[in-house]
Amino acid sequence: MVRPGSACPHCGKFIQFYDNIPVVSWLILRGRCRNCAGRITPRYLIIELLTGGMFLLCYAQFGLTLAALKCATFGFLLLGLIFTDAETHLLPDKLTLTGLALGLTFSFFVPVNDLLSVLLPGIISIPVSPDLSSRLFSFMDSTLAALVGASFLYGAGAIYLRARGVEGMGLGDVKLIAMIGSFLGLRLTIFTIFAASLAGSAFGLWTVLAVWVKRTQRRRHAFHDTPAAARKRAWGSAIIALRRYQMPFGVFLGSMGLAAFLFRHWLLGWYMS
Ligand SMILES: [Zn+2]
């Protein structure tokens, strides 16, 4: 999907179709180009394995149904977005907005079964067949989650920008959570936002601590600082690293969205109790 024109990055030779079979080719050629023997990154191999595993999980959960297709579509888009964000810090509209449209469409055929589907039928009745009305309520659930998720991240991004003067969240993240919302419904979207914020913060903290420890050791060995002086100076570097650090928030949103979808029964049971 995100293969930039299947050519070898070393010699530029186009990779022949028989050397371009997912997973198998990489294993046969042991990660090297047939022409120049240059190393080919296992990134695609990893993405292909994850995508394959994802499809199997969807099939195991839903069998050959539309729900399985929805699951596979969601997983495929999210894996693409997670790796694109990690590598380029970009979340292409082509994936997020297409995903949003697909999520909204799927809600007509695979019930989202969130708050509105539970609450609304007792309050308002739509003068159409029960089947169509439940599809409409499902669509409303999908739309509501997309809107609430997007507004929440947009608001949080604006506050963050004012407080720190740097962009912590981009419009790409806002579109991504809208897409996730359209697939998941409101409750799991809220879970995704909070879990992603926690995971992102933990990762940021870990990065800062890693810089601190590394720099402290360097100051001690290369500059022969006293332990206290080394720690103090290294802390200064860690703070600078923190300021410069740009969290690929889409990576966390995407992986937590995926986790929310796969563990939704368990999560929703826990949510309700
Ligand atoms: Zn080559």
Side-chain angles (χ1 to χ4, degrees), residues 8-13 33-38:
C8 169
H10 306 287
C11 64
K13 189 172 161 39
C33 167
R34 192 188 283 279
N35 187 44
C36 71

Side-chain angles (χ1 to χ4, degrees), residues 19 21-32 45 48-49:
D19 280 341
I21 308 158
V23 184
V24 178
S25 296
W26 197 91
L27 291 175
I28 290 176
L29 298 170
R30 274 162 314 199
R32 290 181 180 281
L45 176 76
E48 279 154 4
L49 285 174

